[in-house]
Amino acid sequence: MVREMVSRSLESEPAHICGPHCLGPLTFHKEVMGALVSLSQGARQADRTGVTFRHGLVFSSRPVRPQERVRLRVELCKLTWLGAMRVGFTNVLPIARALPSLAIPDLTDLPGHWAAPVPETCCLPGSELEFWVSHGGRMYFRNANRRKNSQKHKLLKGVDLSRPLWAMIDVYGQTCSVLLLGSEKKEFLGIQKSCPAPQRRSSCSALQRHTSLDIENYGNVRQICDYIHDSYLLPHPANKQTSDCESVEDCAVCMSQKACISLQCGHQCLCGHQCLCLQCAIRVIQEFGNCPLCRQNIKSFLQTK
């Protein structure tokens, strides 16, 4: 019976190899997940729903190898909670069953599970990170947004490598959504990679790429942002003052997109702070309503050129 379950779990992904440097597909396990997890994007995106910080456990669809670096991107956060996602490994076969609500301590107190928290500063929307276990049983993670040679950080040691290991992620606390970008493993003669994850353009980039916005035209802004309440839409003032307007080049929330939104946030100049991309502006207004720079209430926003 146990052998049958192991075989079925190992074959949960089709036997597919693109070539000698392919590790095969890597997704989240479609049958084993927390009570509040929903999967999308071909089981590569995991979203935690509901008004709680727990019940966000997900596992890899297949065992991963030592030195195989699992790469994730944080898609959505809610800063109303403390703490961020946990990452780790388990050599306990993932089978369809009622899972506990937390990786730490619910699973880590049991044999065969290892997990550690990722710092909140590394789990902002748009943050990419990778984690892996070494041949010596040590677990590491690295900020993948930075240069390839950025410093790795040891999370824990003592992972048992005598049995197959599945990657384990707890979409916990502030972290509400993660996208599995794939994995890679460095070899002497090259780099092995999992089958490529589907590339998805961010909302802000897509709007900037496909829509020519004229901020003099209030209708364009309203059309693009028609799902935002009317009070947040600001027609461009006739005598816009830009000399005193404070802006940042990158979005102050995700740090990965260009800041293309100006907030009317109680700042002394008319245009306020230009500090958010469109996607993050929508989230900030819906969930918080305050400017991330000056903490003043956001009265409205406009799209800049």
Side-chain angles (χ1 to χ4, degrees), residues 63-76:
V64 296
R65 309 176 190 182
Q67 295 296 146
E68 181 179 351
R69 301 189 177 202
V70 179
R71 187 161 181 161
L72 302 168
R73 183 171 71 223
V74 178
E75 296 289 276
L76 177 64

Side-chain angles (χ1 to χ4, degrees), residues 233-255:
L233 297 173
L234 175 66
H236 179 56
N239 297 315
K240 179 182 176 184
Q241 300 177 10
T242 58
S243 59
D244 296 329
C245 179
E246 297 182 19
S247 65
V248 291
E249 182 176 349
D250 295 326
C251 173
V253 174
C254 68
M255 303 297 290

Side-chain angles (χ1 to χ4, degrees), residues 248-269:
V248 291
E249 182 176 349
D250 295 326
C251 173
V253 174
C254 68
M255 303 297 290
S256 61
Q257 301 294 332
K258 183 179 179 181
C260 57
I261 297 297
S262 289
L263 305 174
Q264 189 186 37
C265 53
H267 190 61
Q268 62 181 355
C269 64

Side-chain angles (χ1 to χ4, degrees), residues 120 151 264:
E120 295 177 21
Q151 184 179 3
Q264 189 186 37

